[in-house]
Amino acid sequence: MIARVKEMQADGIDMLDLTAGEPDFTPPSCAEKAGIEAIELGKGRYTPAAGLMELRIEVAKHIREVYGLDYEPTEIVVTHGAKIGIAQALLALVQKGDHVLMPSPCWTSYPEMVRLAEAEPEMVPCGENHLPNIADLEAARRPNTRAILLNSPCNPTGAVYPVETLSAIGKWALEHDIWVISDEIYGALVYEIAEHHSPIWILPALREKAVWIGGMSKAYAMTGWRMGFLAAPAPIAKAIASLQSQLAGSPSAISQLATLAALRDGDLDVESMRRAFEGRCKKVVQALGTMPDLICPVPEGAFYAFPRLADTIIGKTDPATGKTIQSGDDLVEVLIEADHVAFVAGSAFGAPDSFRISFAAADDVIEKAMAKLGARLQAIREN
Ligand SMILES: Cc1ncc(COP(=O)(O)O)c(C=O)c1O
């Protein structure tokens, strides 16, 4: 979808683009300065495969202060973005024939990463509130279930799992000897009264059976710097570091030094971006509240809303394109064609009845796009 928007823009079409999975802000200036200085001082050389010890120490300190997690620097691995951190964690933990669960809708890459590790992914649908429940996970569990991938705050739904949910999943995982890979890349981006908690903080025993994933792409707007980090029990961290050393080698030294500066001095920048996202989230929620054809739990984190189509719109025909709306994918198709408004179709996340609205876009783009969405739904309903 993102490629399609770019093509349409290249053809001179003015698009209202709410597909982005990356912040539209710039990184903290301390990070940019540190990156430039690292280049000027000739620091762009190989580092240890698990990352600079100085940065591993800083990450351990950061996750202790922010998430209450207790890891030694040797249990931290700096990765080439969170994505490869998750993939490497899976490669280290899972083998051929293993079964890996993930509450769905979920990030597109999870099932593919599991397949790359020669294991079998299974998406376990969440309830209407976008939260997983133990009965469904238990029904999906098999003797060879080896891991579960959790993602709170969640891409694509914006759900933030409450303490009880995380605690219940953690206990269930421990009881059945299942690894928890907790992708908390959006952890700093929660809104209103929502609070982000790591399941590893809630249930300290889980520390020995979990891999914590974080990174710089979302809260620090450093997507292209390709910086992530993970925390895991020492033998697992060591295995992942060995894997990384053979697969990709050390992460960029320049990005590591920029990350060090961002973790030390970037808090105010993160907070100002979080507030901006919070304001945009409100705009999207208010607009969705005026659209009876969409059902959407209020997002509490990340920068996405994930509405589902109500029965009032299913089976109706769009007057502009003549297309009948059977799914979220159909609606996304109509909007892009008729209104030049772009969202991501829900099938990308295992939920074809829905679609993803990203609010990582300027306020005026959000306002115009939401107005067009509302008008299109009305036109379809009244057709
Ligand atoms: C849920 C989730 N996890 C991980 C990532 C990967 O982030 P990174 O840029 O650090 O590889 C993304 C990026 O879209 C994401 O949405």
Side-chain angles (χ1 to χ4, degrees):
M1 189 54 79
I2 291 165
R4 176 129 173 242
V5 170
K6 297 257 181 295
E7 262 169 40
M8 290 175 81
Q9 283 168 333
D11 289 344
I13 300 171
D14 202 8
M15 298 296 298
L16 293 167
D17 179 10
L18 297 191
T19 61
E22 66 178 330
D24 53 326
F25 300 113
T26 51
S29 59
C30 60
E32 294 186 326
K33 275 196 205 118
I36 292 166
E37 199 178 286
I39 294 170
E40 286 174 348
L41 293 175
K43 301 251 174 107
R45 312 191 64 91
Y46 288 143
T47 73
L52 291 164
M53 187 42 85
E54 206 184 355
L55 178 56
R56 296 166 80 192
I57 292 170
E58 192 64 34
V59 171
K61 183 168 165 257
H62 177 79
I63 66 175
R64 180 167 295 118
E65 286 169 5
V66 178
Y67 300 104
L69 304 178
D70 193 15
Y71 287 91
E72 295 298 322
T74 47
E75 294 176 306
I76 306 290
V77 181
V78 180
T79 57
H80 304 248
K83 188 173 215 167
I84 199 72
I86 302 162
Q88 289 177 160
L90 281 164
L91 287 170
L93 293 174
V94 158
Q95 43 188 342
K96 194 171 182 161
D98 281 347
H99 177 235
V100 178
L101 297 175
M102 57 208 73
S104 87
C106 65
W107 187 39
T108 334
S109 294
Y110 291 159
E112 302 310 326
M113 287 174 174
V114 172
R115 286 190 190 104
L116 282 170
E118 296 191 283
E120 187 192 341
E122 182 171 345
M123 292 183 175
V124 182
C126 288
E128 295 268 299
N129 56 3
H130 290 153
L131 297 178
N133 78 66
I134 292 293
D136 294 336
L137 294 175
E138 181 56 16
R141 185 175 65 80
R142 299 185 199 153
N144 62 339
T145 304
R146 172 85 172 150
I148 180 166
L149 275 155
L150 295 182
N151 176 216
S152 173
C154 176
N155 174 11
T157 63
V160 175
Y161 296 0
V163 168
E164 311 80 67
T165 303
L166 289 168
S167 166
I169 296 176
K171 284 182 189 151
W172 168 84
L174 281 177
E175 188 186 333
H176 299 291
D177 207 23
I178 292 170
W179 280 90
V180 171
I181 300 175
S182 184
D183 178 357
E184 299 178 35
I185 185 138
Y186 294 95
L189 299 176
V190 290
Y191 312 122
E192 303 296 335
I193 55 163
E195 284 181 16
H196 168 70
H197 294 298
S198 174
I200 306 162
W201 173 75
I202 294 166
L203 202 64
L206 196 58
R207 186 197 182 286
E208 300 312 313
K209 202 67 196 179
V211 178
W212 179 90
I213 303 281
M216 303 303 282
S217 286
K218 311 297 177 176
Y220 291 83
M222 290 173 69
T223 44
W225 296 72
R226 308 308 305 129
M227 271 287 104
F229 26 82
L230 58 82
I236 303 299
K238 199 163 164 230
I240 294 173
S242 303
L243 194 61
Q244 176 156 294
S245 116
Q246 301 304 343
L247 273 178
S250 61
S252 151
I254 306 300
S255 296
Q256 289 191 63
L257 290 165
T259 295
L260 193 59
L263 292 179
R264 283 181 179 159
D265 298 317
D267 287 2
L268 292 179
D269 303 80
V270 171
E271 177 53 16
S272 90
M273 291 188 259
R274 191 202 64 79
R275 271 210 224 113
F277 282 130
E278 189 168 63
R280 294 164 175 190
C281 180
K282 242 185 232 164
K283 275 200 168 84
V284 168
V285 169
Q286 267 165 10
L288 285 171
T290 66
M291 299 177 198
D293 307 299
L294 299 179
I295 301 156
C296 189
V298 173
E300 298 188 315
F303 32 72
Y304 312 106
F306 199 66
R308 182 168 64 81
L309 270 55
D311 291 344
T312 47
I313 202 90
I314 303 279
K316 297 248 169 178
T317 301
D318 170 56
T321 58
K323 200 171 172 75
T324 302
I325 307 296
Q326 300 293 4
S327 65
D329 293 21
D330 292 337
L331 181 65
V332 165
E333 208 39 63
V334 163
L335 283 157
I336 201 161
E337 208 177 308
D339 299 305
H340 301 156
V341 174
F343 301 112
V344 180
S347 55
F349 311 98
D353 58 352
S354 304
F355 62 101
R356 189 186 78 175
I357 300 172
S358 163
F359 41 89
D363 286 53
D364 65 319
V365 173
I366 294 174
E367 280 160 22
K368 285 185 204 155
M370 294 307 287
K372 290 212 172 199
L373 170 63
R376 176 61 45 202
L377 287 166
Q378 187 175 353
I380 298 170
R381 187 180 349 111
E382 289 173 359
N383 188 27

